[in-house]
Amino acid sequence: MSTAGAFPDGFLWGAATSSYQVEGAVDADGRAPSIWDTFTAERGLDSGADACDHYRRWAADADLMAGLNMTAYRFSLAWPRIVPQGTGAVNRAGLAHYDRMVDGLLERGITPVPTLYHWDLPQALQDRGGWTDRATTEAFAEYTDVCLDALGDRVPIWLTVNEPWVVSVLGYRLGLHAPGERDLRTSLLVAHHLLLAHGQAMGRIRERCPDARAGIPLSLFPNYPVSDDPADVAAARGSEGYTNRWYLDPVLRGRYPADTWDLFERLVGPLDFVQPGDLDLIGTRSDLLGVNYYTRRRIAAAPQDGLPWRVLPAQPGVPVTDSGWEDVPEAFHDLLVGLHREYDVPLLITENGGVWNAGPDPDGRVRDTGRVRALHGHLRALSRAVDDGARVLGYLHWSLLDNLEWAEGYAQRFGLVHVDHATQRRTVKDSARYYASVIAANRVLDPADHSAPAGSAGDDGP
Ligand code: FCB
């Protein structure tokens, strides 16, 4: 338990990124294309070709993190750098990059928290079916072994597969993310394989790195019924099964939720891709659950639709981010307390943040007041959840840098640190200064006193 507003000793404070969103250098040191190189080229979208050039600038970025008092950094390992064809030959040059970065983080007192898979599947595997092919889960286990053998002696926390729900839904049901397919059954097949890949990785981590802590980062949404009408209440429960329990229950209880299973079988027929033994593997004991939280879902019944609910737009009067997502810290508190009660697992906040597009003012300072307000609200909600008994290991803000927001490109800015994508100049935003003072105090502070630059602004060019 904490005293009000304070966090436990040893609480991890930091930020998160992922390889394709920040690294750039897509042709460097033997990297092969991923599905995101292909998808952005095919659709004419902004690509990660340059991104934040973090592959080359990681040391300066690590200095920035240290200067902001951060004690942990969540980044992802790029499979197409390490095993470029997905299976087989290991690319030592790609691996050496992460080896140096892990050492560089540790030298600066920053705990490395790598994610094994954050969506940049080697294109060579996609050409053989990608996540629709069960063999990809075996390839992932093989790649995981390579990562563990190279970095496992220094990495204390491993994250497995980022947000299978988002991959499944945006990549395979709605066609908005790579590889751009649109089919409910395929999306469920892929979700199962992603969970199986998580289970495979957990098994490998247990075997090779018994002292490490590990778990899966899930995108989790509190789903609220729009009214007390039993139909809306049931719809919200259904939607919650779809977004949350379909992933939480197999990982933390070793079984799929029966209500959601029945709904899916009604819609797509037998889920016969779930094979005997799969759920035992998926349910391999986790040490922690990664929580990615951005917003809530308000749900109304829609019995005539395939999935029998509708997600309502932002409620008038509720603050929204610059991308229109409702900014509701209270829902974050509800989510964390609910997870603690239902699953009683240590939580690591692996993503939380929002889009605020403020850029530098003429004096060079980035006054991202929306992010400061939201960060304050969410940290307060987090601290109340800790007071209410949730076991929270740390908080990793999304994101360290303004980066490639997938299909939305560079137009959406999630960073604590502003990036001028033409020059790669970094500028610490007001939100980052506020965050640094919170970290130093290990308690929630009033932003009014703590987001102004201490000395001159613009002290953080590359
Ligand atoms: C999450 C992703 C992350 C980032 C944030 C905004 O779904 O894991 O890469 O794009 O959303």
Side-chain angles (χ1 to χ4, degrees):
M1 293 288 269
S2 71
T3 57
F7 291 89
D9 288 344
F11 193 80
L12 293 172
W13 288 108
T17 63
S18 86
S19 45
Y20 191 70
Q21 293 180 277
V22 297
E23 284 181 347
V26 289
D27 297 322
D29 299 336
R31 178 188 182 274
S34 77
I35 55 174
W36 273 95
D37 300 87
T38 308
F39 185 73
T40 52
E42 276 173 9
R43 302 256 172 134
L45 301 170
D46 285 353
S47 84
D50 300 316
C52 306
D53 197 30
H54 185 64
Y55 187 76
R56 299 197 176 88
R57 294 170 193 254
W58 68 265
D61 290 338
D63 287 341
L64 265 176
M65 287 187 255
L68 293 169
N69 305 327
M70 293 184 187
T71 57
Y73 177 40
R74 176 184 178 215
F75 56 97
S76 76
L77 305 175
W79 190 347
R81 291 193 192 279
I82 294 175
V83 184
Q85 299 308 311
T87 62
V90 174
N91 176 31
R92 293 286 151 200
L95 210 44
H97 166 74
Y98 296 109
D99 193 64
R100 284 190 296 271
M101 200 164 102
V102 164
D103 281 344
L105 291 168
L106 290 169
E107 278 159 22
R108 290 167 178 82
I110 299 172
T111 299
V113 184
T115 310
L116 287 161
Y117 181 71
H118 201 128
W119 304 356
D120 43 357
L121 186 74
Q123 181 61 38
L125 285 179
Q126 185 63 30
D127 297 341
R128 305 205 292 270
W131 289 113
T132 65
D133 182 2
R134 201 174 157 100
T136 297
T137 69
E138 303 290 339
F140 183 69
E142 184 190 313
Y143 154 72
T144 297
D145 279 345
V146 172
C147 297
L148 297 175
D149 286 350
L151 308 173
D153 57 335
R154 283 153 293 155
V155 165
I157 301 178
W158 289 94
L159 301 171
T160 56
V161 174
N162 185 64
E163 297 188 343
W165 180 79
V166 174
V167 175
S168 158
V169 173
L170 296 190
Y172 288 86
R173 187 168 86 80
L174 302 174
L176 299 172
H177 276 190
E181 294 189 27
R182 289 162 175 266
D183 178 62
L184 178 60
R185 185 172 195 284
T186 309
S187 77
L188 298 175
L189 169 71
V190 163
H192 183 65
H193 286 164
L194 290 165
L195 288 173
L196 207 50
H198 156 76
Q200 294 265 24
M202 288 302 295
R204 303 306 171 110
I205 294 166
R206 291 277 166 261
E207 203 178 291
R208 294 186 185 227
C209 304
D211 296 334
R213 289 186 288 180
I216 188 169
L218 297 179
S219 51
L220 296 168
F221 302 85
N223 285 262
Y224 298 98
V226 68
S227 79
D228 295 340
D229 185 320
D232 290 333
V233 173
R237 175 83 183 149
S239 167
E240 204 258 337
Y242 175 63
T243 57
N244 299 1
R245 285 181 289 118
W246 193 251
Y247 303 89
L248 290 166
D249 283 11
V251 167
L252 298 172
R253 293 183 171 151
R255 58 172 192 263
Y256 279 117
D259 58 330
T260 315
W261 179 282
D262 292 347
L263 170 68
F264 288 157
E265 287 211 326
R266 276 205 303 282
L267 293 171
V268 305
L271 304 179
D272 47 13
F273 45 77
V274 179
Q275 295 183 12
D278 285 1
L279 283 157
D280 291 338
L281 194 58
I282 295 170
T284 302
R285 184 182 55 78
S286 290
D287 307 291
L288 57 90
L289 171 69
V291 177
N292 294 358
Y293 168 78
Y294 290 93
T295 194
R296 67 178 178 183
R297 282 158 65 98
R298 289 196 311 134
I299 300 294
Q304 66 287 0
D305 293 356
L307 294 169
W309 54 78
R310 202 155 45 86
V311 183
L312 298 178
Q315 185 174 9
V318 170
V320 291
T321 68
D322 286 351
S323 67
W325 291 358
E326 286 184 320
D327 171 22
V328 273
E330 191 55 37
F332 186 36
H333 170 266
D334 289 359
L335 174 71
L336 298 175
V337 170
L339 288 169
H340 171 64
R341 291 204 181 122
E342 274 294 308
Y343 300 96
D344 191 20
V345 60
L347 307 172
L348 176 62
I349 313 309
T350 36
E351 293 183 25
N352 171 238
V355 176
W356 281 278
N357 286 325
D361 285 333
D363 65 358
R365 187 170 151 195
V366 182
R367 294 172 171 80
D368 56 338
T369 47
R371 180 173 292 100
V372 173
R373 184 202 64 225
L375 184 54
H376 176 232
H378 284 79
L379 293 177
R380 271 211 321 219
L382 177 63
S383 124
R384 279 197 297 114
V386 171
D387 289 340
D388 291 342
R391 290 183 287 153
V392 186
L393 304 171
Y395 175 88
L396 303 167
H397 191 80
W398 186 273
S399 178
L400 177 67
L401 302 168
D402 292 336
N403 59 46
L404 180 79
E405 179 46 22
W406 305 110
E408 304 294 337
Y410 295 101
Q412 295 196 350
R413 293 182 178 271
F414 275 92
L416 293 162
V417 174
H418 182 273
V419 178
D420 177 332
H421 291 291
T423 63
Q424 294 296 347
R425 183 184 162 83
R426 272 65 164 153
T427 305
V428 168
K429 301 181 188 180
D430 279 5
S431 56
R433 295 181 203 284
Y434 165 62
Y435 189 38
S437 59
V438 168
I439 298 174
N442 203 36
R443 61 167 52 247
V444 184
L445 301 172
D446 182 345
D449 307 329
H450 295 279
S451 45
S456 59
D459 51 342
D460 21 56

